[in-house]
Amino acid sequence: MNKMSSSALLVGLFAATTVVQADNDKSLVIGTNNWAENIAVANMWKIILEEKHGYDIELSDVSKSALYSGLANDDFDLSLEIWLPNTDASFLEPHEDEIDVHDVWYEGTKLGLVVPDYVEIDTIQELGENAEDYEYQGSPTILGIDSGSAIAGSTDEVIEAYELSLDQTNSSEPAMMAALSDAYEREEPIVVTLWSPHWAFAEYDLKYLEDAEGVYGESDDIHWMSRKDFGDDDPWLTSVLNDWHMDDDTLGGLMAEIEQTGDPVEGAKTWIDENRDLIDEWLAAGDAE
């Protein structure tokens, strides 16, 4: 009888320990892509959640399509950026039954063709009429980011819709921004694909070219998203992220800090230290859960 009681007790303790370990498992993989605001907020949340809340966060940088398939296959736990209802709808559609889209944290995005304010054109139509002024490495060029991005696909549509005699050259965002910086310093014409929010609008005097055909679509909002049922697995963090909101001042400040330091971790740490009250407001939503 004593042996049976001892065995039962050990089984019970083992089961309890297993439950505690499961409850304390806060290892998460956040899928990211190489957009300035995505890098900024991913590093911000990694630091916030690890420093006092016991999480172990891995940031995994992948292509846009791999991000959505990874969430659908539970390779990632969450991702902090999906633009809806327009820009990222095509990426979500094949996986919409396997991905949970959560609340908006930034309202009123924009994307399109951007030029320095010192150039004289204001519309995409005028860009086509002055294509020879926008040469890059010997031919009229629109500088863009990776070819798999939504903005790259929209820009291909713009070239066709406006019958532009410019080609889109795709590279990384840092390479595109380096070319913009170089041209801006020399006050030379250049046209790039950009979006708001982005730190470049705080750094340079830039303007969107008017898109009379509306190819780039209407304004979006930025949501966060997760693998299916993440909200049930981590209701605390779900409440926190649903209460998280940023605007041009707060998000622009975070991105600018990262750009100035040249390091997303150090820049995010500095911004966090200067914005504790705001962060505490976000975290309070989880504590109320």
Side-chain angles (χ1 to χ4, degrees):
M1 186 71 176
N2 289 338
K3 286 183 179 180
M4 291 180 62
S5 298
S6 298
S7 298
L9 178 61
L10 287 173
V11 170
L13 286 172
F14 178 77
T17 301
T18 302
V19 169
V20 169
Q21 288 175 340
D23 288 343
N24 289 337
D25 184 10
K26 292 185 176 182
S27 297
L28 298 177
V29 180
I30 299 179
T32 67
N33 57 59
N34 198 30
W35 285 32
E37 75 282 357
N38 195 286
I39 293 170
V41 297
N43 280 278
M44 177 192 75
W45 277 114
K46 175 178 169 64
I47 294 166
I48 292 171
L49 294 174
E50 287 186 341
E51 68 176 0
K52 292 183 179 179
H53 299 278
Y55 283 83
D56 179 16
I57 307 293
E58 176 188 347
L59 303 183
S60 181
D61 185 33
V62 295
S63 68
K64 201 70 171 287
S65 58
L67 178 62
Y68 287 80
S69 61
L71 281 170
N73 295 327
D74 292 349
D75 295 327
F76 308 130
D77 294 290
L78 56 97
S79 187
L80 298 171
E81 182 172 12
I82 175 172
W83 291 33
L84 294 173
N86 304 302
T87 303
D88 289 330
S90 62
F91 291 96
L92 176 64
E93 184 178 7
H95 310 290
E96 59 186 355
D97 292 334
E98 292 83 35
I99 292 175
D100 287 336
V101 177
H102 299 274
D103 288 2
V104 171
W105 61 267
Y106 178 93
E107 297 178 355
T109 67
K110 187 171 183 178
L111 52 80
L113 297 184
V114 169
V115 297
D117 196 56
Y118 55 74
V119 304
E120 296 183 356
I121 66 170
D122 295 298
T123 70
I124 297 177
Q125 184 67 39
E126 290 175 311
L127 174 65
E129 295 167 358
N130 297 273
E132 67 280 357
D133 294 336
Y134 293 83
E135 288 192 355
Y136 179 77
Q137 297 182 345
S139 62
T141 300
I142 297 169
L143 291 179
I145 58 172
D146 63 277
S147 57
S149 64
I151 195 172
S154 295
T155 300
D156 286 337
E157 295 175 16
V158 163
I159 291 172
E160 181 178 355
Y162 288 89
E163 298 181 348
L164 300 179
S165 56
L166 297 93
D167 294 320
Q168 180 178 195
T169 296
N170 300 107
S171 62
S172 66
E173 181 193 348
M176 180 187 72
M177 294 309 301
L180 173 61
S181 177
D182 181 63
Y184 194 90
E185 288 178 5
R186 293 183 282 112
E187 293 194 7
E188 292 185 350
I190 188 171
V191 57
V192 299
T193 62
L194 263 183
W195 56 93
S196 302
H198 197 286
W199 61 264
F201 293 94
E203 186 75 14
Y204 310 111
D205 290 326
L206 304 172
K207 59 185 177 182
Y208 283 97
L209 294 180
E210 179 185 340
D211 176 17
E213 299 294 330
V215 179
Y216 283 111
E218 299 297 323
S219 174
D220 278 318
D221 293 328
I222 305 179
H223 303 245
W224 70 281
M225 57 183 171
S226 71
R227 59 174 170 76
K228 203 70 178 174
D229 298 326
F230 176 81
D232 294 332
D233 296 338
D234 196 333
W236 180 85
L237 183 54
T238 300
S239 294
V240 168
L241 292 179
N242 279 338
D243 200 61
W244 162 45
H245 290 90
M246 301 185 84
D247 57 20
D248 286 336
D249 288 339
T250 52
L251 182 55
L254 172 61
M255 290 192 289
E257 195 67 55
I258 289 172
E259 182 63 20
Q260 289 170 11
T261 62
D263 185 322
V265 175
E266 291 305 314
K269 284 180 178 178
T270 300
W271 187 89
I272 289 168
D273 288 340
E274 295 173 351
N275 292 271
R276 290 288 179 183
D277 290 345
L278 176 62
I279 293 166
D280 287 344
E281 290 178 12
W282 302 336
L283 296 174
D287 297 335
E289 177 65 26

